[in-house]
């Protein structure tokens, strides 16, 4: 993120004095202006051109253009290079200008927002960019916070205000902030204008949940925390107004500090293409050197004898200098091996693929009216090469909508619905939900299926009453009553909202709160409890408590938290109840529910007074405040009495288990990185079938020290290796260790999973242990990282990128996923419940996790396939075109004479061959989309990078050189002795050029017809249209009319008509075409027959199905008059065939392949996977391997 102000030295601490701009300006703090744009009107052209010429290809073509302006070495006109170069530069400049225009628009929109600033005791409207550190600004309800502010006062009692932080941390629930008491009374502008307090605090940083500082005012000091801060990006809610002191502005705000620079992402094909272009350039130089040497030798031995009528050009005095000039001439002529149109074509194809994603109705969410969106056009083909997916959990795999499902109260479990026979009812057999009509304040959307819990409430069960009383008191939920009885809860977490709503429906209605009281309607009776203390939740405590005084004067602590923490803090008398409740917790966890344990403790008045005084002193401590508070919290939360447990269902998004299963079959490994606790993450892991009971073992790493973590990882690897040794007979441990350890671990027998906590992960990611962690994790089928920070998410992704050299994809929906999304090769944002920060940082976005399956297996695989076929054909056609000049050099005295005329050279890549290859690159398919989803193994060639790599590149080059040899020597051999119909000699330069050019256009057109796997009307139009355009332009350029207009440019009148009127020429073209194409056709038929690819087998099964359906229809028509039994048989068979094809019942996979393709179809994939180190991939028997490949 760029700053509007100049860069400054890093701060050690920040000093801010209220209402003192002159004092604050001497520190040169950043203004509140934000700048993300790159250009302005003056700098756009020079800066953009400078950036474009940073690209090697553009610089290369500029260099060629300069060479072509030198008449001594140029045998081609300058327009053959400048036309495509200007086209490329213009298209790129327009795209960059459009992007920057929107950045300017966004900057202006933000910087010009209005804010009320207190200047000279008067509130003035100022633009955001004019706000300065130390200013006091006024915010009103529903306004965005302009900068990071210290809350001074508000319209609410006790200086409270409510904010929404969706744009900051992705959470849509309201949060509470409170001014310190000494400033909470500064409610009017006159008092605020006299406020001259000074804040000394931490320097700018990106920690959203922490702030430390001190306010010095009137010779007193007051500690400041994150609870006193309003951060930029928040929205003021349910608060009429508030005043705040600007502490951090503009790029120093925590929102901007977390934005970071978006890393430029380049695909592996891009990197390979750049390498290949350099190789081709080296090859071009070698050809130039060879021909230059040939020129020097020819001029010295032969040319010297013809100086009288073939004199050297002016300035050429030796054969050596002639060879030097010839080198540069051939560099110009042969430069078309890397045409500039390659880069334009690649961008056009990527743009087309992006539009296909945007237009895909099957990735459109009607409920939210959200389509899929490709936010970048540069990564589409990499979607077909993903090996690792890193996913957030809440809101990505789940809906982030919590439902109170079950509970355990005093040893009784509620929530299971039983049928008439007393058995557990299935989902479809459920009776009507519980009727809460007795409660006028009940939430009509809440549903519960076990009536016995409501009966217990009505019968006055004291334990059940206390259970729901705890749920209605122990929380931080805010209540808003829009009208009488219409309550709206604003909770910091969906879990809290679900629990308070459950208590509300069962008659314990949380009605309102003040900083010191909580009002609850208990079975219709309003009761106000005095709120003495809130012991807030954090990741270390994993629990939350409140201390309240009842109307009777009794002081009680209510606590809820994780079972692992709370059960060990209970009074010993709870032992039997704890055992029963633990069984219930295990049952709930097995069903994938999120659990909490509830407990309470009565406090003596004298003890509470003493504890409260110590709490006040700890809260005012200048140092180690949090440690003092934590010790006091821990002290009071002991010897509690167990009440029960709750079980909340965080519903999975639709299609998540199926999507994960399909992606796993595609050999994609899925890691879940979540900030949730371990129990919750593991439960969801089981729900979405990442973890199963059939797994050999699930390793849990929870060590708190480096040594503990290292030991737990070592034991996990040893267990996996022991299992591997027992299964792999005939292979010793030492033999396996001769390869990379990772390869051995990935070859283990059995399925394992790894669960690791955030504090353990911090040690595992240290430099001396990261490889051990990665080896262990990559050997597991599933990996779940719990309680991880946003930075740790990015570090895990970076670790896999660094050592595995695999394509990674990160998917999330919250602001805490942004760093992970930016770090991965591909970032996907879910537009869900947690704001739009993740979407804004992503490369692709949609609304549901299940669409990831289609994005990768259909769009990604097709994009990779199309781009690979495009590049293979592109390099082939250009080598076939260019190498003809090389062979001709040996027959023209190495004089840099071109075979084709300059107009053909200019139009070859722009008109004659551009559109057919673009159509193939945009529309081609190997199998239909349904088959891509049904057979995930089709995805593997992309992961192994099989379709375009250095080997495939050299094959294309070899085919292009082979074609060029035949393209030149067959016409050359024919023309040596051929004559016209009238007996005249056929062999003239222009006739030869027309013949070779026509042969070339026809051969490459036939070749792309063979390469095209999916024909559309556009393919037909472009291929046949390009051929027609070639002949139309050819005859036009040799026409009488064009000669009259441009006699110096088009002087060969009628040459094309005369040449193509000769049968010998057409026989030559036909012979050349057949000899060039037949080996390719023969090779492909043999490969299809002897070593078919999986896509070939899938296409074959599809053809067989179509034939069978056609036969069934014919037999049906033929037997129309037959018996009903016969008609029923055919009808039944056709219906069953449709059922199979729909995938609702079964796949044809094993049957089809064992019947139709008895040869191994995937052994080549397995061999290559072994070469990559994955020796454990099962090759199996031929039919077995094929069968496994096609199963879904």
């Amino acid at each position: 993120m760029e700053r509007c102000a100049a860069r400054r030295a890093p701060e050690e601490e920040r000093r801010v004095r209220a209402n003192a701009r002159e004092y604050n300006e001497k520190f040169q703090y950043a203004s509140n202006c934000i700048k993300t744009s790159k250009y302005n009107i003056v700098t756009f052209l020079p800066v953009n051109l400078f950036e474009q010429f940073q690209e090697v290809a553009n610089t290369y073509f500029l260099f060629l253009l300069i060479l072509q302006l030198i008449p001594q070495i140029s045998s081609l006109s300058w327009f053959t290079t400048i036309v495509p170069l200007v086209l490329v530069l213009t298209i790129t400049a327009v795209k960059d200008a459009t992007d920057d225009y929107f950045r300017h628009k966004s900057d202006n929109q933000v910087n010009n927002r209005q804010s009320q600033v207190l200047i000279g005791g008067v509130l003035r409207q100022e633009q955001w960019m004019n706000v300065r550190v130390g200013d006091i600004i006024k915010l009103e309800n529903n306004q965005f916070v302009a900068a990071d502010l210290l809350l001074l006062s508000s319209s609410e009692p006790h200086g409270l205000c409510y904010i929404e932080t969706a744009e900051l941390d992705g959470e849509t629930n309201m949060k509470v902030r409170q001014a310190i008491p000494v400033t909470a009374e500064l409610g009017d502008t006159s008092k605020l204008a006299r406020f001259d307090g000074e804040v000394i605090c931490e320097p700018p940083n990106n920690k959203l949940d922490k702030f430390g500082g001190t306010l010095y005012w009137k010779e007193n000091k007051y500690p400041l925390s994150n609870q006193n801060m309003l951060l930029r990006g928040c929205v003021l809610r349910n608060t009429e107004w508030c005043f705040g002191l600007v502490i951090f502005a503009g790029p120093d705000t925590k929102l901007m500090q977390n934005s970071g620079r978006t890393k430029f992402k380049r695909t592996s094909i891009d990197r390979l293409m750049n390498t290949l272009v350099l190789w081709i350039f080296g090859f071009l130089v070698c050809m130039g050197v060879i021909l230059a040497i040939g020129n020097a030798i020819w001029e010295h031995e032969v040319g010297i004898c013809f100086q009288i009528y073939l004199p050297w050009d002016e300035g050429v005095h030796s054969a050596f200098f002639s060879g030097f000039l010839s080198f540069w001439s051939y560099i110009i002529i042969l430069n078309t091996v890397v045409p500039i149109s390659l880069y334009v074509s690649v961008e056009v194809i990527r743009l087309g693929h992006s539009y296909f994603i945007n237009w895909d109705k099957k990735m459109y969410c009607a409920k939210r009216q959200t389509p899929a969106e490709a936010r970048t056009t540069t990564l589409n083909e990499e979607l077909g090469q993903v090996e690792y997916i890193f996913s957030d959990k809440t809101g990505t795999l789940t809906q982030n909508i919590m439902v109170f499902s079950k509970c355990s109260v005093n040893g009784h479990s509620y929530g299971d619905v039983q049928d008439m026979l007393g058995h557990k009812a299935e989902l479809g057999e459920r009776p009507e939900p519980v009727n809460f009509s007795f409660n006028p304040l009940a939430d009509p959307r809440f549903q519960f299926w076990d009536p016995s819990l409501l009966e217990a409430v009505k019968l006055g069960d004291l334990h059940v009453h206390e259970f729901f009383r705890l749920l209605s008191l122990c929380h931080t939920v805010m209540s808003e009553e829009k009208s009488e009885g219409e309550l709206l809860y604003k909770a910091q977490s969906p879990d809290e909202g679900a629990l308070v709503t459950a208590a509300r429906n069962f008659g314990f209605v949380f009605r309102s709160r003040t900083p010191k009281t909580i009002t609850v309607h208990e079975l219709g009776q309003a009761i106000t409890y005095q709120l003495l203390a809130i012991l807030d939740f954090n990741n270390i405590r994993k629990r939350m408590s409140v201390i309240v005084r009842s109307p009777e004067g009794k002081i009680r602590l209510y606590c809820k938290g994780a079972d692992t923490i709370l059960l060990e803090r209970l009074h010993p008398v709870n032992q039997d109840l704890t055992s029963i409740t633990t069984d219930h917790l295990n049952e709930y966890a097995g069903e994938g529910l999120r659990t909490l344990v509830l407990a309470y403790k009565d406090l003596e008045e004298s003890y509470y007074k003493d504890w409260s005084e110590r709490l006040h002193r700890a809260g005012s401590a200048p140092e180690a405040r949090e440690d003092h508070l934590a010790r006091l919290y821990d002290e009071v939360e002991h010897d509690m009495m167990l009440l029960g447990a709750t079980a909340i269902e965080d519903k999975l998004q639709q299609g998540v288990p199926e999507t994960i299963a399909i992606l796993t079959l595609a050999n994609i490994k899925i890691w879940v990185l979540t900030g949730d606790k371990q129990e919750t993450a593991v439960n969801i892991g089981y729900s979405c079938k990442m973890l199963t009971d059939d797994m050999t073992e699930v390793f849990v790493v929870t060590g708190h020290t480096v040594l503990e973590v290292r030991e737990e990882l070592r034991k996990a690897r040893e267990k996996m290796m022991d299992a591997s040794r027992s299964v792999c007979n005939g292979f010793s441990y030492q033999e396996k260790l001769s390869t990379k350890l990772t390869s051995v671990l990935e070859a283990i027998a059995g399925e394992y999973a790894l669960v690791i906590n955030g504090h353990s992960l911090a040690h595992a990611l240290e430099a001396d242990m990261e490889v051990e962690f990665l080896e262990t994790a990559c050997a597991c089928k599933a990996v779940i990282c719990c309680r991880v920070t946003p930075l740790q998410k990015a570090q895990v992704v970076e670790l896999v990128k660094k050592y595995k050299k695999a394509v990674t994809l990160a998917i999330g929906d919250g602001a805490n996923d942004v760093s992970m999304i930016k770090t991965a090769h591909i970032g996907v944002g879910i537009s869900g419940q947690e704001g739009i920060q993740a979407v804004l940082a992503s490369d692709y976005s949609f609304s549901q996790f299940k669409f990831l399956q289609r994005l990768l297996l259909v769009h990604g695989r097709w994009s990779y396939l199309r781009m690979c076929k495009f590049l293979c054909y592109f390099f082939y056609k250009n080598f076939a075109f260019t190498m003809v000049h090389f062979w001709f050099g040996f027959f023209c005295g190495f004089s840099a004479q071109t075979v084709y005329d300059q107009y053909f050279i200019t139009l070859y890549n722009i008109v004659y061959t551009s559109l057919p290859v673009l159509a193939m690159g945009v529309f081609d398919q190997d199998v239909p989309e349904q088959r891509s989803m049904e057979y995930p193994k089709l995805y593997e060639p992309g992961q192994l990078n099989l379709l375009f790599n250095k080997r495939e590149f050299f094959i294309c080059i070899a085919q292009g050189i082979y074609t060029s040899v035949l393209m030149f020597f067959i016409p050359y051999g024919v023309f040596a002795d051929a004559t016209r119909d009238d007996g005249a000699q056929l062999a003239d330069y222009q006739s030869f050029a027309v013949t070779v050019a026509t042969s070339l256009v026809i051969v490459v057109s036939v070749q792309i017809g063979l390469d095209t796997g999916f024909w559309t009307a556009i393919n037909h139009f472009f291929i046949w249209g390009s051929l027609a355009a070639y002949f139309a332009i050819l005859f036009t350029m040799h026409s009488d009319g064009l000669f009259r207009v441009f006699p110096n440019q088009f002087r060969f009148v009628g040459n094309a008509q005369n040449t193509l009127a000769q049968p010998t020429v057409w026989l030559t073209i036909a012979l050349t075409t057949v000899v060039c194409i037949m080996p390719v056709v023969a090779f492909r038929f043999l490969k299809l027959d002897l070593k078919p690819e999986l896509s070939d087998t899938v296409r074959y099964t599809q053809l067989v199905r179509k034939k069978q359906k056609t036969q069934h229809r014919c037999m049906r028509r033929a037997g129309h008059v037959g018996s009903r039994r016969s008609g029923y048989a055919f009808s039944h068979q056709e219906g069953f065939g449709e059922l199979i094809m729909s995938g609702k019942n079964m796949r044809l996979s094993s049957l089809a392949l064992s019947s139709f393709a008895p040869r191994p179809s995937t052994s080549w994939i397995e061999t290559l996977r072994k070469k990559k180190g994955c020796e454990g991939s099962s090759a199996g028997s031929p039919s077995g391997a094929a069968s496994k490949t096609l199963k879904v």
Side-chain angles (χ1 to χ4, degrees), residues 7 171 492 590 665 762 1002:
R7 293 184 179 275
E171 297 180 6
Q492 289 197 35
L665 286 173
I1002 291 174

Side-chain angles (χ1 to χ4, degrees), residues 927-936 938 1098 1102 1105 1141:
V927 298
E929 60 181 63
Q930 308 96 295
R931 302 292 171 250
S932 292
M933 304 276 274
E934 286 177 13
Y935 305 123
L938 288 167
V1098 172
Q1102 177 124 355
R1105 292 183 201 185
M1141 291 180 70

